Amino acid sequence: MPKTIKKVGVLTSGGDSPGMNAAIRSVVRTCAYHNIECIGIYRGYQGMIEGDFKEMGPRSVNNIVNKGGTILKSARSLEFKTPEGRKKAHENLTKAGIDALVVIGGDGTFTGGLLFNTEFNFPVMGIPGTIDNDIFGTSHTLGYDTALNTVVDVIDKIRDTASSHNRLFFVEVMGRDAGHIALNAGIGAGAEEILIPEEDLGLDRLLESLQKSKASGKSSSIVVIAEGDKIGKNVFELKDYVEANLPEYDVRVSVLGHMQRGGSPSCFDRVLASRLGVKAVESLIEGKSNYMVGLQNDKVSLTPLEQAIKGKTEIDRELLRVSDIMST
Ligand code: ATP
């Protein structure tokens, strides 16, 4: 018989992402629906160590489904990486009567959660919240869809300037290890070239492509570059290189930065957050632990946290071909 869960703690940790609030709301209301108490833990694992807790009921999550960021705040806690820190956190949870955790964050958050479970046999479920979409076991992480829409919206605006001045724009988007944002937003915004960490197109190929597009009558172009692309130059060095080799181009750089992490979540992210929150709480009630809830083939699924942490996500290579064809 699984242990009966009476009180669930929920926290957000690592980088914030749009949809985290909708997920908190879903966890809190699913707990209320099943007559389970819910405690909000502030500032991720650091709040667990400091006992920064607040009781939450269905009305404490009113009007947050549409808000970016996280009302529970997020933090990166070095202390939680130490056995002493985790011991303090466990003592606080026990004192508060919390008997299960839902952790919303990225792979670091899941690593911490899994370790905590191993040390204290404490039930943990993870919800993937990061705009990079780089977590194994889910086709979408919370915030990814919103970030894509933000990036496309901004590039549309940049395009107005690019075409008015016959300029080439290099737009750097987030994605140190994964090119999902660059690839999808690049296609959506009609980029000429897309540079991503998973694929080294090489500088020659970039120059060739820009020359080809000039020759074919294009007077302005947009190149989308993931911050972690493997070409070996940062976006400003890339601008200098292209201007040195193709003097006919006037290159401008736009680094989108943290704006990609903010804003009101898209409908997709709100629905996803609601579904994942329900599944996380109901899985705990069923006695499950150490899983990440995610989306696979449009269905909510469970992936062992260990796999979610270790597994590598792949880009859809078909999208590279589509992008090539679209820039003809
Ligand atoms: P993002 O993808 O936005 O970076 P993340 O969840 O990967 O999100 P991290 O900063 O890597 O963000 O991890 C969040 C927190 O999880 C850390 O601040 C730390 O408290 C905890 N954590 C990460 N790795 C470990 C670990 N090896 N052991 C214990 N706790 C960890």
Side-chain angles (χ1 to χ4, degrees):
M1 267 294 279
K3 195 172 92 177
T4 308
I5 304 290
K6 297 199 194 80
K7 208 184 257 191
V8 170
V10 57
L11 61 82
T12 48
S13 160
D16 64 303
S17 69
M20 280 185 164
N21 278 327
I24 294 166
R25 171 179 176 268
S26 173
V27 169
V28 171
R29 292 200 172 159
T30 308
C31 284
Y33 180 84
H34 289 287
N35 292 316
I36 292 171
E37 285 181 75
C38 190
I39 302 292
I41 300 168
Y42 284 92
R43 295 176 294 117
Y45 292 124
Q46 193 57 33
M48 235 161 92
I49 292 170
E50 294 172 19
D52 196 358
F53 301 159
K54 188 185 164 200
E55 258 177 61
M56 299 185 92
R59 297 289 74 77
S60 44
V61 287
N62 284 347
N63 302 322
I64 64 165
V65 71
N66 57 334
K67 291 204 164 59
T70 156
I71 59 161
L72 290 177
K73 314 280 183 194
S74 188
R76 301 199 195 263
S77 170
L78 285 180
E79 206 180 341
F80 195 74
K81 291 187 174 180
T82 66
E84 297 76 30
R86 293 192 294 275
K87 188 163 168 282
K88 260 196 244 170
H90 184 249
E91 282 163 7
N92 284 330
L93 292 188
T94 308
K95 228 188 292 167
I98 297 171
D99 42 28
L101 273 180
V102 176
V103 298
I104 307 170
D107 55 358
T109 301
F110 297 162
T111 305
L114 192 56
L115 200 54
F116 195 72
N117 170 273
T118 311
E119 288 174 342
F120 302 104
N121 191 24
F122 204 91
V124 176
M125 293 293 297
I127 296 181
T130 168
I131 64 165
D132 290 340
N133 207 36
D134 57 353
I135 297 198
F136 180 83
T138 187
S139 61
H140 290 76
T141 54
L142 287 183
Y144 169 58
D145 182 69
T146 304
L148 284 183
N149 286 306
T150 302
V151 172
V152 166
D153 196 37
V154 173
I155 298 179
D156 284 349
K157 293 183 168 74
I158 290 173
R159 179 179 292 285
D160 291 344
T161 293
S163 61
S164 302
H165 292 273
N166 293 345
R167 275 180 186 147
L168 169 60
F169 262 89
F170 286 170
V171 181
E172 187 190 90
V173 302
M174 280 189 172
R176 244 168 309 166
D177 306 307
H180 299 286
I181 293 181
L183 190 52
N184 284 274
I187 292 175
E192 188 59 40
E193 273 295 343
I194 301 169
L195 308 184
I196 55 173
E198 294 85 346
E199 184 93 348
D200 183 359
L201 290 182
L203 289 165
D204 292 345
R205 150 81 196 256
L206 177 63
L207 293 182
E208 218 175 87
S209 157
L210 291 172
Q211 272 167 325
K212 216 170 74 190
S213 72
K214 193 92 176 170
S216 76
K218 284 191 188 173
S219 58
S220 65
S221 288
I222 287 171
V223 176
V224 173
I225 303 167
E227 59 188 336
D229 97 275
K230 291 281 185 295
I231 219 160
K233 291 188 185 296
N234 73 35
V235 67
F236 293 98
E237 291 167 341
L238 210 54
K239 160 191 156 72
D240 292 343
Y241 180 84
V242 168
E243 284 182 337
N245 285 278
L246 302 174
E248 67 273 29
Y249 269 114
D250 178 17
V251 185
R252 290 289 190 274
V253 170
S254 207
V255 177
L256 301 194
H258 282 83
M259 71 152 76
Q260 296 161 89
R261 288 234 299 250
S264 183
S266 64
C267 179
F268 180 91
D269 275 327
R270 296 180 200 193
V271 174
L272 179 63
S274 306
R275 294 172 76 186
L276 298 187
V278 169
K279 184 71 175 178
V281 173
E282 293 189 340
S283 299
L284 285 170
I285 293 171
E286 287 164 16
K288 296 195 173 90
S289 174
N290 292 353
Y291 287 99
M292 177 193 78
V293 292
L295 198 64
Q296 287 176 322
N297 301 320
D298 294 329
K299 294 265 177 282
V300 175
S301 62
L302 295 178
T303 300
L305 277 180
E306 199 167 351
Q307 276 179 27
I309 294 161
K310 288 193 185 140
K312 209 55 212 124
T313 57
E314 303 274 334
I315 48 153
D316 182 349
R317 305 203 81 78
E318 172 65 7
L319 290 179
L320 291 174
R321 209 173 80 83
V322 170
S323 161
D324 265 359
I325 295 172
M326 288 306 107
S327 60
T328 302

